[in-house]
Amino acid sequence: MKFGGTSMGSAERIRVAARLVREQRDKRPVVVVVSAMSKITDLLLDTMKHAEVRDEAGLAQNVRILRARHKEAAAGLNLDIGECIDDLIAEFQRLVGGMLMLGERPARSVDEAVAIGERLSALLLASFLVSEGTAAAAVNAAQLIVTDPVFGNASPLMDLTERKAAAVLQPLIDGGTIPIATGFNGATVDGRSTTLGRGGSDFSASILSAALDAAELWIWTDVDGIMTADPRLVPEARVLEEVSFSEAAELAYNGAKVLHPRTLAPLVEKHIPVWSKNSFAPEKPGTRIVPVLSVSQGARAVTSMRNVALISLEPAHAGLSGVHVLARAMDSLARGNVEVLTISASSYRQSFCFLVRDDELARTVEILEAGLSMELAHGYVSPISIDREVSLLAVVGEGMRGTQGLAGRIFTAISRENVNIMAIAQGSSELTIAIVVRREGLEKAVRAVHAECHL
Ligand code: ASP
Ligand code: MG
């Protein structure tokens, strides 16, 4: 079971989490993974920025908030763990003190420091369970999950993780103690701290599920499950009872916030199903994510990403093929770890365009300019063009494969709203149709598509 930040966000929420854990563990062994309390990761990262620019007052203010928030939760749970909280915060301060001195934030120290949020929340939940007479122990996932050294966005090394996780967790499980593992973090083979990317606790939970060969993974959030659309855009959006692994992964990659995009990969091979459930309404069934759907059912959901930017590249010399430009561009983006959302090209001679998140735009352009510096300097490639007033809409569903007329209906529905389509992409798996529209038309387009596909 994995509890997200809002499900760990206060004493009251931690009580509920503890109850949900106890209910299940009466039926079978449970391993728990927790996120930091809501907003704490942002607070920790912000604190490190204060340290980097030597803003000691801002730093101290953040540490006060950090301490108050966790002490308040401990008090609300009647726990006498002030010293343990202070110890972890002292560890954070030591790391941040180093950054203050250097005037910079080395990636590996950032990862070590930011994981303190999860260590604090694991401490709270484990201590509370123990105080209620349930054996539980907080476990730092640096002891469990072995990763590559890509700080801030590491990937697990599964064989090593399996061995480590089993060695640490199995004795606890066998002895009837519930392990409360930190989400988000891991460590390299040689013990340097890493994290799995923002929102990475879902990924931690799936990594540990696979490593331990779990029967199921339950992900507790603050929404009722995976929905047919963002309910803030589409009031009639509803919860899907069941989606396939591929659908859920596509939805996550295209902006549905309910699962970290990389979550499902470790589970595929072992066929471990996932439940996405609401800890604020645990009686609701939630969404079940399964390897294969019993019946595939056309378009399932429409997701959207509002803040994205469209980057276009165009060869400007007859002697240079678009394939070359594409290869160069993608190679440099891959090296820079930029996540490309959608790629579209009408022919290899022509321009092609791709989408990145707005907050990755500046870095992306820098990387592209460096990667294509020769071509740009000699005018073989036109200056990189950028459009920031766009959004992405994606229709996802395994059953769309081979369904004639669906794309036509989707485009017609969008054009009926007078929203211009700027780029489209559909892979040959026909699992997703990605559509780039003018940002101001996004909401209308999403509603129109939701209605047209009878979602
Ligand atoms: N606490 C981390 C974050 O905010 C990881 C997570 O919430 O899954 O990104
Ligand atoms: Mg989170």
Side-chain angles (χ1 to χ4, degrees):
M1 286 187 163
K2 179 261 175 175
F3 292 90
T6 47
S7 300
M8 292 294 292
S10 64
E12 186 201 339
R13 299 314 310 163
I14 293 174
R15 271 178 207 278
V16 172
R19 194 191 79 219
L20 295 168
V21 170
R22 267 198 311 267
E23 274 170 21
Q24 289 311 311
R25 101 77 174 256
D26 290 342
K27 302 178 194 157
R28 60 200 144 166
V30 172
V31 173
V32 177
V33 172
V34 292
S35 285
M37 296 178 82
S38 46
K39 308 225 174 73
I40 291 298
T41 305
D42 288 335
L43 180 74
L44 298 174
L45 291 171
D46 182 63
T47 311
M48 295 183 232
K49 289 190 188 144
H50 286 295
E52 182 176 39
V53 299
R54 305 207 159 104
D55 169 13
E56 292 189 51
L59 191 159
Q61 171 64 9
N62 276 13
V63 171
R64 269 196 294 279
I65 300 172
L66 180 69
R67 199 184 309 274
R69 182 90 187 277
H70 290 89
K71 292 231 163 145
E72 186 191 322
L77 296 166
N78 298 317
L79 297 173
D80 183 19
I81 53 168
E83 251 177 64
C84 301
I85 292 177
D86 286 334
D87 284 349
L88 283 172
I89 293 180
E91 204 175 319
F92 178 70
Q93 283 176 297
R94 184 177 54 75
L95 289 159
V96 173
M99 297 177 198
L100 188 78
M101 224 159 66
L102 291 170
E104 68 178 280
R105 288 172 291 155
R108 82 168 266 201
S109 308
V110 171
D111 279 5
E112 190 173 350
V114 77
I116 301 278
E118 271 69 13
R119 290 169 66 195
L120 284 162
S121 66
L123 169 71
L124 284 168
L125 179 58
S127 308
F128 180 65
L129 282 163
V130 169
S131 78
E132 300 261 283
T134 305
V139 182
N140 183 348
Q143 250 98 69
L144 307 174
I145 297 182
V146 186
T147 73
D148 62 16
V150 180
F151 299 102
N153 195 28
S155 298
L157 306 175
M158 282 311 283
D159 289 346
L160 293 171
T161 300
E162 251 168 58
R163 260 178 270 155
K164 267 202 151 180
V168 177
L169 298 179
Q170 205 61 53
L172 291 172
I173 300 168
D174 294 342
T177 297
I178 306 176
I180 314 291
T182 56
F184 192 33
N185 71 329
T188 60
V189 181
D190 54 352
R192 292 173 289 162
S193 299
T194 53
T195 57
L196 303 167
R198 291 306 307 273
S201 299
D202 289 348
F203 194 26
S204 308
S206 76
I207 293 166
L208 291 179
S209 299
L212 296 171
D213 233 329
E216 292 184 351
L217 166 59
W218 290 24
I219 294 191
W220 292 100
T221 67
D222 54 5
V223 293
D224 290 343
I226 297 181
M227 304 194 68
T228 54
D230 181 343
R232 284 165 304 181
L233 297 187
V234 184
E236 5 3 304
R238 58 179 187 82
V239 175
L240 290 158
E241 263 165 52
E242 199 174 78
V243 301
S244 72
F245 276 7
S246 343
E247 287 172 341
E250 279 298 299
L251 290 169
Y253 276 112
N254 287 293
K257 298 236 169 44
V258 63
L259 270 189
H260 182 275
R262 292 202 281 166
T263 305
L264 295 166
L267 306 172
V268 173
E269 208 177 300
K270 301 213 161 163
H271 290 257
I272 301 171
V274 184
W275 284 94
S276 162
K277 283 175 73 76
N278 189 350
S279 80
F280 292 73
E283 67 293 348
K284 294 194 178 159
T287 301
R288 194 172 148 81
I289 308 168
V290 294
V292 202
L293 288 178
S294 27
V295 254
S296 55
Q297 312 164 41
R300 307 296 309 284
V302 45
T303 58
S304 48
M305 280 176 105
R306 189 174 181 76
N307 298 320
V308 292
L310 190 65
I311 300 178
S312 307
L313 285 172
E314 186 168 4
H317 188 281
L320 184 64
S321 96
V323 177
H324 175 95
V325 182
L326 181 67
R328 264 300 171 85
M330 291 302 139
D331 183 54
S332 26
L333 295 178
R335 284 169 204 276
N337 259 309
V338 173
E339 195 193 332
V340 175
L341 300 168
T342 288
I343 307 175
S344 173
S346 49
S347 88
Y348 71 89
R349 293 221 159 266
Q350 291 264 324
S351 73
F352 64 92
C353 59
F354 59 91
L355 214 58
V356 295
R357 283 199 314 273
D358 235 357
D359 53 19
E360 290 232 294
L361 178 62
R363 202 167 71 85
T364 305
V365 172
E366 226 171 81
I367 291 173
L368 277 179
E369 281 174 347
L372 292 167
S373 59
M374 292 292 251
E375 289 85 346
L376 285 165
H378 290 107
Y380 280 20
V381 173
S382 306
I384 300 171
S385 108
I386 297 161
D387 191 334
R388 304 191 59 168
E389 287 306 311
V390 302
S391 293
L392 170 71
L393 171 167
V395 189
V396 175
E398 285 200 357
M400 301 198 307
R401 188 172 308 137
T403 310
Q404 285 175 19
L406 192 62
R409 275 168 46 210
I410 290 170
F411 297 139
T412 308
I414 294 176
S415 67
R416 240 187 270 124
E417 300 294 325
N418 290 317
V419 174
N420 184 34
I421 294 176
M422 307 178 61
I424 52 181
Q426 181 195 42
S428 55
S429 72
E430 298 184 53
L431 183 57
T432 302
I433 300 178
I435 302 170
V436 181
V437 295
R438 281 253 150 264
R439 194 168 292 171
E440 76 261 8
L442 176 68
E443 298 195 7
K444 281 195 287 185
V446 170
R447 270 189 232 117
V449 171
H450 192 269
E452 180 63 39
C453 297
H454 308 293
L455 298 177

